[in-house]
Structures are given as C-alpha cells and as structure tokens.
Amino acid sequence: QKEVEQNSGPLSVPEGAIASLNCTYSDRVSQSFFWYRQYSGKSPELIMSIYSNGDKEDGRFTAQLNKASQYVSLLIRDSQPSDSATYLCAVNMGGNYQLIWGAGTKLIIKP
Amino acid sequence: GAVVSQHPSRVICKSGTSVKIECRSLDFQATTMFWYRQFPKQSLMLMATSNEGSKATYEQGVEKDKFLINHASLTLSTLTVTSAHPEDSSFYICSVKGDSHTEAFFGQGTRLTVV
C-alpha cells in the first residue's frame, strides 16, 4: 500500500526560529513531491514543489528531497505566527498526478 | 497562478436531499479534476478523478451512485451528493489541473452540513 507519513504534531517553534517538517513515503518510483499549507477551515495552498534530489529554496522556505532515503522535508526560516497552520505533504506516485497525502503536521509558532 | 472557483463555500441541507457543488477553472482549461473529502483533523481523501468528457474514476469505497460527478466541459465539474445523510457532513474540495501544469490548483472548499 502506498503511504505518506508525517508526524501529526503539534510542533511548537518560537517566533524567529527555524521550523523543520518531515515526511517519508513508501514508493521508490515517486516522481514529484509537494508541501501544502492548510489553515483551519480553508483548502490547501501550495507552498513548494520539488522533483529532484537536493534543496530547493523559495524565500523563507526550503524543501529538501532525498530519494534514496525516501524522505522530503520543509524548512521554514524566521518563523512567523502567520506560519501557524497544518502542513500537508503530498507525493505523486504515478503518472496520472493522483497525489497520496500525508495526515499533516500541525505547526504552532509562538510569539 | 491559476484560479479555481468552488461554490458554494458552505451549505446546510436536510437529510435525504441532494446537494450540488460546482468547481470552475476561471483562466485555464481543466483537463483533469480531482474531488476530495476531508473530515475534521484528518487529511484529504481522494474520492474521484475526472477527465473532461469521460466518466469519473472513483476510489475504492466511494459510491458512484451517491456521489455523482459530471465533468461536462473544460472549465466546469460538479459533484452532487445524493440522498445526503449526516455522515456525509464534511469538507469537500476540488482540485484542478491543466495540460500545461505541473501541479493542481485547489478550490476554496465546500463545508457541507447535513442535518
């Protein structure tokens, strides 16, 4: 069974610190990886996508992919209270773009 | 980014009635649409995938006669929850992808409450 796993949290991080979110996946042939942010009562919003091994940076966000170890992570630098949300990891394990979703990690940034 | 409009954002209906949810791509052609359901404190569960002009493909455990999906045009897909029951109360979200996109874009979601 294809799975994506995340620690449900909550992960509590002081304002200004680095928040580190992790995700592991089961299928080695997975092709693309996504991090979404979801505020309570809202639909997910794409934060980062990553397709190849290594780091990808976009502003305060850095996605890291390690296909050999089958994990993908998201780092948030200079964390702000507005970053408090649930972060969902999603993996495309096939060519039809059907995403497998993790359960999400709740992140709390404390002022 | 691409714009996806989902309507209504909230709906309350009586048990036994049907509810239609619309999902529109406003500035691109939606070749593939995904319908998700999300219960409180849980992740998204894919219900079905639809391509324009063809029948939707439902995930295991999702009743196709209860959750009717119509993807009649390249900009519109609808999900109809028929004979709704309180256990159908959930957050329903559509996601849309065009041919030129490497990612899908989400609608705003519909909070359905069946009383």
Side-chain angles (χ1 to χ4, degrees):
Chain A
Q1 185 175 356
K2 297 178 179 179
E3 293 182 341
V4 175
E5 296 192 359
Q6 297 179 253
N7 188 321
S8 62
L11 174 65
S12 184
V13 174
E15 183 176 358
I18 296 175
S20 177
L21 304 163
N22 299 310
C23 171
T24 60
Y25 59 95
S26 61
D27 194 338
R28 285 191 172 275
V29 300
S30 299
Q31 301 173 355
S32 46
F33 308 84
F34 305 87
W35 281 100
Y36 285 84
R37 178 176 63 197
Q38 186 176 27
Y39 293 113
S40 181
K42 304 294 184 183
S43 65
E45 171 192 11
L46 182 66
I47 298 296
M48 292 282 285
S49 58
I50 187 166
Y51 304 95
S52 55
N53 277 328
D55 295 359
K56 179 181 178 183
E57 186 175 319
D58 184 1
R60 296 186 296 112
F61 299 96
T62 299
Q64 299 175 320
L65 175 61
N66 185 323
K67 289 187 176 181
S69 300
Q70 295 176 232
Y71 83 78
V72 57
S73 62
L74 178 70
L75 301 178
I76 306 175
R77 290 181 298 281
D78 188 24
S79 298
Q80 304 295 311
S82 59
D83 295 327
S84 298
T86 296
Y87 288 80
L88 300 167
C89 172
V91 178
N92 179 12
M93 296 186 181
N96 58 0
Y97 199 78
Q98 285 189 348
L99 299 179
I100 309 297
W101 293 82
T105 298
K106 184 174 183 178
L107 175 66
I108 299 172
I109 306 299
K110 292 188 172 181
Chain B
V3 180
V4 177
S5 176
Q6 185 174 342
H7 178 81
S9 59
R10 289 179 177 272
V11 59
I12 300 173
C13 72
K14 291 184 177 181
S15 186
T17 62
S18 296
V19 173
K20 180 183 285 188
I21 302 170
E22 292 188 350
C23 181
R24 295 180 183 272
S25 56
L26 299 186
D27 55 359
F28 67 101
Q29 293 185 334
T31 50
T32 306
M33 286 191 171
F34 305 90
W35 285 97
Y36 293 91
R37 179 168 53 181
Q38 186 178 34
F39 292 106
K41 300 188 185 302
Q42 295 187 21
S43 191
L44 281 71
M45 292 173 46
L46 180 65
M47 300 175 67
T49 303
S50 73
N51 294 293
E52 185 268 337
S54 60
K55 290 184 178 180
T57 301
Y58 288 80
E59 295 299 301
Q60 189 174 7
V62 179
E63 299 174 57
K64 63 180 181 180
D65 294 331
K66 179 172 180 62
F67 299 99
L68 302 179
I69 292 173
N70 187 340
H71 191 166
S73 76
L74 282 172
T75 59
L76 174 64
S77 176
T78 61
L79 167 66
T80 301
V81 182
T82 63
S83 186
H85 290 99
E87 57 264 33
D88 297 324
S89 299
S90 187
F91 192 49
Y92 292 85
I93 314 171
C94 71
S95 176
V96 181
K97 181 180 177 300
D99 272 346
S100 62
H101 296 139
T102 56
E103 63 203 51
F105 300 91
F106 281 86
Q108 300 93 327
T110 297
R111 174 73 59 190
L112 170 64
T113 303
V114 184
V115 297

